[in-house]
């Protein structure tokens, strides 16, 4: 009986241990698979973030170029200078405001993008927009990334986009790590996969529950769940990229990841079965001897069970930890603090792979040998301090491999304590981040150096020039800016080809670099233009010019030395212009502009020479006279024209006003907007006759529409500050009304907030005099000045116009929304109507309507139109299609 009980107990122990090992195997397999999924998620997240940042930086760079250098961004030039991402993978394109593709780094498959979601998105507001995948003409699925382009007034001026193959974002799928049923994907916040790969299959456009994917905390190991898109049970990790409106998804198939563990479990069960059979056979053979060995066997069995249980449990735990450390992709070291020098006791295989040192070469050595002689790194001092203080620490270090090559790693140390709490060892983990560091350095180099010549580019030149100016101003010194342009370079490019031209530019760059001092800067400004920055000691202007003449003559001589290219003997020459700080300018832009002007003067004088900057005032006067003459002739030649933009009532949706907007049909430059000439017209006083023409033409056109049977709609005209200062401004308004026959109540004069608030003592009598003619008055651009609200109630005005700078950001900026809401509420309390300018999106319209704004004006309803299209708009009785009528009419009736 005792032997039977012992046998049953042993079998119970064997199977209990077996089931415990099965449980540990399953838990270990789960943790290993979940940890691997987390690690793959981190890696994939970093890869996608780098790619999206590069795309975003390229878009913002072109956006910046467009804003500061004009609407025609030369993508070919940017591509040649290495400022665009590689066109093997990326296609960069620029459209105008109508959606027509103006240029692209290579054929994009687009000509008109008005039907694309990213174009519609960017019309509303600038954002880094990622489109849904679309099927390109080449049969490959594409993703478009875009930013809005704005003109100088902040209006919509087109879109810059980057097109990338959707498969690019899942190209890093490694079957060796992800298996045949893993998943690698990029999903938008709309729940649509931009790209998903499982095995060799790449899918796009699938729908998934975005909120469910992102529900699990990022710092918790994922549990296996069934993925809704293909019903495979996986360890799934989803990471939202907070900088971008997408998330990355990584998944490992549970069946694949647990296959090895299941094999070990089956082996454990088989061994347990064999052991059980052997035990049964053993106890059957010993049954006859039970009466002699019962007491001895019982004691031995109890000891054996205890020892086996403890040993197997310890071995299982140790094996699990060893497997985790041995399989880690990060280098792991264990240092002994109980011995002098804190020698290394253990390194894992990843350490050998990363550093090139074998375990035998490093065990017993202090880990500081990895720093080489580079021990002055602040991060090294931080790690050493943490070890002395027996605490955790993490830092990015530059270490050295066995072959002497440096590598960057994220180095972390953590103390190991004994039963008494004393630190006996340190575990040190090294995560190789060399690739990320190298990529950052490459981006920094590309941002500051010319890709062809290796010289400083415009960005670096601007930085150094501004620093040199600050130093010269502080020390009372001077500096010279030399603007150099190769003579007849276009002939070389066209005649011998761009390759020869590029080789010549490299040679010229090397010659220039060899002629200057170490603290001088030679930069390539673009094309065949170079800029040289020469800091100088403070001397008289004549001594400076004498010294610079010698230095620049040396440059001219070296540049013009003969050379042979493609079997042709060439003798390049150049023209140089020189400006000197502070005589010729006190800021970088002025010095560059003046040196450029001097260079062109050198070309006019025969090329292959230098010219100091002179007579800048004469040049500016000449330009001023030319523009003034053009403006005066514009009135005589009837080159001005008015466009009209309707104002729409939010109660009934009908047109309740029309604003007259000035345009100039320049004979050579085409249609010009006010921002390009109004400031100069005000400066020269020409705004007075121009403004009178606008007033008369707007009144005449309004009467012409009425005589054509169109509805009577008030017309609004802007009044400049200089017009309002004229003593006969009231008589001018009366003359315009009398000459046209327009009813005074159908004319509205818009006065800017800054003018009305600048001197209320003068503006109130002026507005009362204008009001006496019977016209309506409005305050334009309200909210942008520093209004004294106590005067606002004294102004005899009818309407306030909310400045478009607030309306543009009303849907994205709580501050703009709050200001707009306050203006509307204040206006209604003062019994004033409110017009919101620049309404372009439905979101802006909805927010303004919810806050009881009276009327709106902007591209959402109509852009400014010529007189004929405006007449057609009035004739068809077009209304704003929004269900606002009865609610808004009721609210308006209450206010009245």
């Amino acid at each position: 009986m005792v032997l039977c009980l012992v046998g049953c107990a042993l079998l119970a122990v064997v199977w209990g241990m077996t089931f415990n090992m099965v449980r540990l195997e399953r838990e270990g397999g789960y943790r290993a698979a979940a940890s691997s999924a987390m690690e793959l998620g981190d890696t994939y997240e970093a890869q996608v973030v780098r790619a999206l940042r590069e795309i975003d930086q390229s878009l913002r760079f072109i956006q910046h170029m467009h804003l500061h250098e004009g609407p025609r961004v030369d993508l070919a030039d940017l591509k040649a200078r290495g400022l665009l991402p590689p066109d093997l993978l990326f296609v960069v394109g620029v459209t105008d405001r109508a959606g027509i593709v103006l240029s692209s780094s290579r054929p994009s498959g687009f000509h008109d993008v008005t039907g694309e979601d990213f174009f519609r998105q960017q019309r509303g507001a600038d954002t880094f927009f990622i489109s849904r995948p679309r099927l390109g003409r080449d049969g490959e699925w594409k993703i478009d990334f875009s930013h809005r382009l704005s003109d100088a007034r902040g209006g919509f001026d087109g879109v810059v986009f980057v097109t990338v193959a959707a498969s690019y974002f899942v190209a890093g799928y490694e079957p060796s790590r992800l298996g045949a049923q893993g998943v690698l994907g990029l999903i938008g916040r709309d729940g649509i996969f931009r790209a998903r790969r499982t095995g060799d299959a790449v899918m796009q456009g699938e729908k998934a529950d975005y909120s469910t994917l992102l529900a699990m905390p990022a710092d918790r190991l994922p549990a296996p769940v069934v993925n809704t898109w293909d019903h495979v049970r996986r360890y799934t990790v989803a990471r939202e990229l907070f900088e971008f409106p997408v998330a990355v998804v990584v998944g490992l198939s549970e069946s694949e990841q647990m296959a090895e563990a299941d094999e070990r479990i089956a082996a454990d069960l088989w061994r347990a079965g064999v052991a059980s059979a052997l035990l049964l056979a053993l106890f059957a053979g010993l049954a006859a001897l039970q009466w002699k060995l019962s007491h001895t066997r019982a004691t031995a069995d109890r000891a054996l069970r205890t020892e086996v249980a403890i040993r197997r449990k310890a071995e299982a735990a140790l094996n699990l930890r060893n497997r985790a450390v041995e399989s880690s992709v990060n280098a792991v070291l264990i240092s002994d603090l109980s011995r002098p020098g804190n020698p290394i006791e253990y390194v894992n295989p990843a350490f050998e792979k990363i550093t090139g040192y074998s375990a035998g070469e490093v065990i017993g050595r202090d880990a500081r040998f990895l720093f080489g002689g580079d021990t002055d790194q602040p991060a090294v001092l931080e790690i050493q301090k943490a070890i002395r203080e027996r605490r955790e620490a993490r830092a990015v270090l530059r270490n050295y491999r066995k072959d002497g090559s440096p590598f960057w790693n994220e180095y972390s140390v953590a103390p190991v304590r004994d039963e008494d709490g004393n630190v006996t060892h340190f575990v040190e983990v090294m995560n190789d981040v060399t690739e990320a560091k190298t990529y950052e350095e490459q981006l920094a180099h590309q941002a500051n150096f010319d890709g062809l010549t290796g010289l400083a580019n415009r960005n670096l030149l601007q930085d150094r020039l501004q620093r040199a100016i600050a130093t010269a101003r502080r020390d009372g010194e001077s500096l010279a800016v030399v603007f150099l342009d190769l003579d007849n370079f276009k002939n070389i490019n066209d005649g011998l080809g761009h390759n020869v031209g590029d080789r010549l530019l490299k040679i010229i760059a090397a010659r220039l670099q060899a002629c200057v001092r170490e603290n001088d800067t030679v930069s390539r400004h673009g094309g065949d233009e170079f800029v040289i920055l020469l800091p100088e000691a403070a001397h008289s202007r004549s001594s400076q010019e004498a010294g610079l003449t010698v230095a620049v003559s040396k440059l001219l001589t070296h540049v013009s030395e003969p050379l042979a290219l493609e079997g042709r003997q060439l003798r390049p020459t150049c023209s140089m212009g020189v400006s000197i700080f502070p005589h010729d300018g006190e800021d970088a832009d002025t010095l560059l502009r003046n040196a450029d002007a001097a260079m062109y003067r050198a070309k006019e004088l025969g090329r292959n020479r230098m010219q100091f900057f002179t007579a800048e005032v004469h040049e500016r006067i000449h330009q001023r006279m030319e523009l003034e003459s053009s403006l005066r002739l514009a009135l005589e030649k009837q080159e001005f024209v008015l466009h009209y933009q309707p104002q729409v009532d939010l109660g009934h949706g009908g047109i309740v006003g029309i604003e007259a907007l000035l345009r100039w049909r320049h004979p050579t430059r085409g249609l010009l907007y006010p921002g390009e000439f109004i400031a100069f017209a005000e400066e020269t006083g020409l705004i007075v006759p121009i403004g009178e023409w606008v007033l008369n033409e707007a009144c005449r056109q309004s009467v012409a529409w009425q005589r054509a049977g169109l509805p009577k709609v008030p017309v609004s005209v802007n009044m400049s500050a200089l017009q309002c200062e004229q003593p006969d401004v009231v008589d001018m308004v009366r003359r315009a009304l009398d000459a046209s026959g327009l009813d005074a109540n159908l004319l509205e004069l818009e006065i800017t907030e800054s003018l009305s608030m600048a001197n209320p003592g003068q503006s109130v009598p002026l507005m009362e005099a204008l009001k006496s003619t019977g016209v309506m008055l409005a305050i334009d651009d309200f909210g942008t000045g520093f209004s004294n609200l106590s005067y606002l109630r004294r102004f005899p005005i009818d309407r306030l116009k909310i400045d478009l700078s607030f309306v543009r950001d009303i849907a994205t900026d709580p501050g703009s929304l709050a200001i707009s809401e306050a203006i509307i509420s204040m206006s209604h309390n003062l019994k004033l109507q409110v017009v919101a300018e620049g309404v372009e999106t439905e979101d802006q319209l909805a927010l303004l309507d919810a806050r009881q704004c009276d009327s709106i004006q902007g591209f959402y309803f109509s852009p400014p139109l010529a007189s004929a299209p405006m007449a057609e708009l009035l004739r068809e009785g077009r209304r704003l299609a929004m269900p606002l009528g009865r609610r808004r009419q009721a609210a308006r009736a209450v206010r009245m």
Side-chain angles (χ1 to χ4, degrees):
M1 183 64 182
V2 174
L3 186 61
C4 180
L5 292 175
V6 171
C8 292
L10 283 175
L11 288 174
V13 169
V14 170
W15 285 100
M17 291 174 60
T18 300
F19 290 135
N20 186 51
M21 290 178 67
V22 168
R23 179 180 61 80
L24 291 175
E25 286 285 357
R26 289 193 178 279
E27 291 179 355
Y30 157 73
R31 284 194 296 272
S35 298
S36 182
M38 292 282 283
E39 181 182 338
L40 288 169
D42 292 339
T43 301
Y44 186 47
E45 178 185 8
Q47 292 172 348
V48 172
V49 166
R50 284 198 301 270
L52 294 182
R53 282 178 179 168
E54 180 178 2
I55 293 171
D56 189 32
Q57 287 174 359
S58 298
L59 291 173
R60 289 184 182 277
F61 176 71
I62 295 175
Q63 189 183 49
H64 175 80
M65 293 283 291
H66 175 274
L67 182 62
H68 291 85
E69 297 190 12
R72 288 285 182 176
V73 177
D74 191 345
L75 294 182
D77 178 58
L78 296 181
K79 175 181 174 183
R81 291 160 53 192
L83 296 178
L84 296 183
D87 60 2
L88 183 63
L89 299 174
F90 303 89
V91 178
V92 182
V94 176
T95 78
D96 60 13
R97 68 186 64 177
I100 303 302
V101 176
L102 299 176
S103 63
S104 61
S105 59
R106 63 181 173 88
S108 63
F110 283 133
H111 173 69
D112 184 345
V113 301
T114 52
E116 301 300 324
D117 54 356
F118 69 83
F119 184 79
R120 293 192 298 272
Q121 175 70 23
Q122 298 299 349
R123 286 188 65 90
D126 183 27
T127 182
F128 183 64
F129 184 73
I130 304 176
S131 72
R132 294 183 178 182
R134 59 177 179 78
L135 189 60
R137 295 181 178 179
D138 57 0
E140 186 176 11
W141 288 89
K142 312 285 188 181
I143 303 176
D144 301 306
F145 302 82
S146 62
H147 262 300
R148 170 190 176 116
L149 296 177
S150 301
D151 57 24
R153 299 178 303 159
F156 178 72
D157 204 28
V159 172
V160 56
F161 64 90
V162 173
T163 300
V164 186
S167 60
Y168 167 75
F169 290 96
V170 291
Y173 188 98
E174 299 181 28
S176 61
R177 301 188 66 186
L178 290 163
Q181 292 186 332
V183 66
L184 202 64
L186 186 67
I187 187 171
R189 291 178 180 168
D190 54 4
I192 300 298
F193 271 105
R194 272 42 180 183
R196 179 180 72 81
R197 179 173 175 177
T198 295
D200 293 330
V202 179
M203 282 69 72
Q204 301 85 12
E206 294 176 314
K207 182 74 175 178
D209 191 333
Y210 186 84
S211 59
T212 302
L213 271 176
L214 274 296
M216 189 186 74
D219 58 350
R220 187 181 301 169
L221 292 177
V225 296
V226 176
N227 293 148
T228 58
W229 54 83
D230 59 2
H231 306 292
V232 175
R233 187 175 176 85
R234 296 186 179 92
Y235 298 89
T236 306
V237 174
R239 300 283 175 78
E240 185 171 27
L241 308 183
F242 295 101
E243 299 179 53
F244 306 102
V246 291
V248 295
V249 180
V250 175
L252 297 175
S253 168
E254 182 185 30
S255 62
E256 290 180 342
Q257 295 300 311
M258 294 299 293
E260 186 177 347
D262 290 340
E263 290 178 1
R264 289 194 295 270
I265 289 171
D268 290 339
L269 293 173
W270 184 82
R271 285 193 293 269
V274 172
S276 299
L278 292 175
L279 284 174
L280 289 174
L282 177 62
F283 279 104
L286 297 175
L289 303 174
Q290 182 178 7
W291 62 276
K292 293 181 179 180
L293 303 174
S294 58
H295 180 69
T296 304
R297 176 57 65 190
T299 303
D301 285 346
R302 283 195 299 271
L304 178 61
R305 285 197 302 271
T306 301
E307 181 180 355
V308 169
I310 293 174
R311 180 172 297 176
R312 289 196 175 183
K313 184 176 181 180
E315 289 177 355
L318 182 60
N319 287 338
L320 179 60
R321 287 192 292 270
N322 286 342
R323 285 196 300 271
V325 173
E326 293 287 325
S327 61
S328 173
V329 297
N330 295 329
V332 178
L333 307 81
I334 299 178
S335 299
D336 185 0
L337 267 65
S338 64
R339 296 164 58 191
N342 305 334
I344 297 173
E345 278 192 354
Y346 167 83
V347 295
N348 70 342
F351 174 91
E352 298 178 327
K353 181 179 180 181
I354 292 174
T355 67
Y357 289 100
S358 66
E361 292 174 305
V362 301
I363 289 178
R365 299 179 65 180
D366 190 325
R368 287 182 294 183
F369 79 92
L370 292 170
F371 303 146
D374 196 3
T375 57
D376 292 334
Q377 304 176 59
V380 170
L381 301 178
E382 170 61 22
I383 293 296
Q384 292 176 342
K385 182 180 179 182
I387 293 176
R388 288 195 302 271
E389 295 174 356
R390 304 299 195 260
R391 60 175 172 82
E392 294 184 0
R394 175 176 294 178
V396 176
L397 302 176
R398 182 172 55 252
N399 285 355
Y400 294 83
R401 296 185 175 90
K402 183 178 179 180
D403 60 5
S405 62
F407 69 100
W408 289 92
N409 69 92
E410 189 177 46
Y411 199 98
S412 59
V413 295
V416 178
R417 303 180 185 274
D418 60 14
E419 294 82 2
D420 300 326
N422 298 318
V423 177
T424 61
H425 294 77
F426 257 93
V427 175
E428 303 161 54
V429 179
M430 299 165 59
N431 177 22
D432 191 348
V433 293
T434 303
E435 182 180 352
K437 275 286 186 180
T438 301
Y439 184 72
E440 291 177 2
E441 293 171 356
Q442 290 174 349
L443 287 180
H445 187 274
Q446 292 175 1
N448 292 301
F449 291 92
D450 178 52
L452 177 65
T453 64
L455 298 177
N457 62 12
R458 287 193 181 192
N459 294 335
L460 186 55
L461 173 67
Q462 281 285 344
D463 181 70
R464 291 186 179 178
L465 181 52
Q466 290 170 1
R467 291 174 182 268
I469 290 173
T471 301
R473 183 178 289 116
R474 181 193 64 210
D475 298 337
E477 296 181 349
S478 65
L479 61 89
V481 173
V482 181
F483 204 108
L484 181 151
D485 183 88
L486 293 181
D487 297 331
N488 303 313
F489 179 75
K490 184 177 184 299
N491 296 337
I492 296 175
N493 253 355
D494 294 343
L496 302 180
H498 289 279
N499 290 336
V500 174
D502 289 347
R503 290 173 59 191
L504 177 59
L505 290 175
K506 291 180 181 179
I507 293 172
I508 297 300
R511 290 181 175 181
L512 294 175
Q513 194 73 49
C515 290
V516 299
R517 300 163 300 188
E518 185 176 352
N519 63 332
D520 298 335
T521 296
V522 180
S523 71
R524 185 184 177 203
H525 204 59
D528 61 332
E529 295 177 340
F530 298 84
V531 175
I532 305 170
L533 173 60
L534 303 172
E536 299 289 337
H539 300 291
S540 66
R541 178 63 183 255
S542 60
S543 62
Q544 286 176 345
E545 290 186 356
L548 287 169
T549 299
V550 174
V552 175
S553 297
K554 180 181 176 182
L555 290 170
L556 282 169
T557 301
H558 279 72
V559 167
S560 61
E561 290 178 358
L563 56 89
L565 286 177
E566 296 292 329
R568 297 285 188 91
Q569 289 294 324
L570 300 177
R571 186 179 179 274
T573 62
C574 64
S575 300
M576 297 186 185
V578 182
S579 63
I580 302 174
F581 169 87
H583 309 292
D584 301 330
E586 297 190 355
D587 60 82
D589 290 338
T590 302
L591 289 171
L592 285 169
R593 184 171 61 251
N594 291 343
D596 188 20
M599 181 272 294
Y600 277 107
R601 179 58 178 163
K603 285 187 177 292
E604 292 172 358
L605 295 174
R607 305 177 187 270
N608 192 24
R609 64 178 62 216
M610 63 160 293
Q611 174 69 45
F612 287 97
F613 176 74
T614 58
E616 58 181 291
V617 175
H618 297 294
E619 178 65 21
R620 187 176 186 278
I621 290 175
H622 174 73
Q623 294 176 353
R624 179 187 180 94
M625 292 176 61
E626 185 179 2
L627 182 55
E628 182 176 349
S629 176
S630 298
L631 275 175
R632 294 187 187 280
L633 292 175
L635 275 174
E636 298 176 6
K637 295 182 178 181
Q638 300 182 350
E639 293 174 353
F640 291 115
V641 65
L642 292 185
H643 284 191
Y644 302 88
Q645 189 170 40
Q647 299 168 346
V648 185
D649 187 275
L650 290 184
H652 54 71
I655 297 175
V656 293
I658 299 172
E659 182 177 3
L661 300 169
L662 180 62
R663 303 290 187 264
W664 181 9
R665 288 200 181 102
H666 195 279
T668 59
R669 297 171 58 186
L671 191 66
L672 301 182
Y673 290 88
E676 300 180 70
F677 60 90
I678 285 296
F680 187 77
E682 290 178 338
E683 182 182 351
T684 58
L686 290 173
I687 191 65
V688 175
I690 293 174
E692 185 172 2
W693 178 87
V694 171
L695 179 63
N696 283 288
E697 177 62 16
C699 293
R700 184 202 64 78
Q701 182 62 65
S702 181
V703 171
W705 283 333
Q706 294 176 34
R707 290 173 178 170
L710 299 178
K712 293 183 178 181
V713 179
V715 62
S716 300
V717 177
N718 289 281
M719 299 286 287
S720 74
L722 197 58
Q723 279 182 283
C724 293
E725 292 174 1
Q726 302 303 307
D728 65 339
V729 61
V730 177
D731 292 335
M732 180 188 70
V733 173
R734 287 197 176 101
R735 288 196 302 270
L737 292 172
D738 293 340
S740 63
L742 180 67
D743 292 338
N745 61 357
L746 293 179
L747 174 64
E748 181 182 71
L749 301 179
E750 296 186 7
I751 301 174
T752 63
E753 179 192 20
S754 58
L755 171 63
S756 59
M757 298 297 179
N759 189 347
Q762 294 181 2
S763 57
V764 170
L766 170 64
M767 286 189 282
E768 288 176 346
L770 291 172
K771 191 69 176 174
S772 68
T773 64
V775 301
M776 295 186 293
L777 295 181
I779 299 296
D780 195 16
D781 301 331
F782 191 81
T784 60
F786 299 92
S787 299
N788 187 335
L789 299 182
S790 65
Y791 284 98
L792 187 60
R793 57 189 176 84
R794 295 176 51 191
F795 293 157
I797 58 175
D798 304 285
R799 296 201 296 178
L800 291 181
K801 298 189 74 174
I802 304 176
D803 186 71
L804 60 84
S805 64
F806 298 112
V807 176
R808 180 177 57 245
D809 300 327
I810 196 173
T812 58
D813 178 23
S816 296
L817 179 60
I819 292 173
S820 301
E821 185 173 9
I823 293 173
I824 295 171
S825 176
M826 176 192 66
S827 301
H828 289 165
N829 289 333
L830 294 173
K831 308 301 182 183
L832 299 176
Q833 294 280 307
V834 183
V835 183
E837 297 182 292
V839 177
E840 297 184 357
T841 68
E842 187 170 346
D843 289 342
Q844 294 169 348
L845 181 67
L847 289 169
L848 290 167
D849 174 61
R851 284 151 183 80
Q852 302 296 306
C853 183
D854 298 291
S855 53
I856 62 103
Q857 173 181 344
F859 277 69
Y860 182 84
F861 183 77
S862 172
L865 303 171
S867 57
M870 187 68 237
E872 186 61 31
L873 195 67
L874 291 171
R875 185 174 291 106
E876 69 183 22
R878 178 180 168 188
R879 292 178 177 270
L880 186 66
M882 286 191 67
L884 309 174
R886 279 185 284 179
R887 174 168 60 83
R888 297 303 307 281
Q889 290 174 1
R892 191 172 288 112
V894 169
R895 290 201 301 273
M896 296 178 63

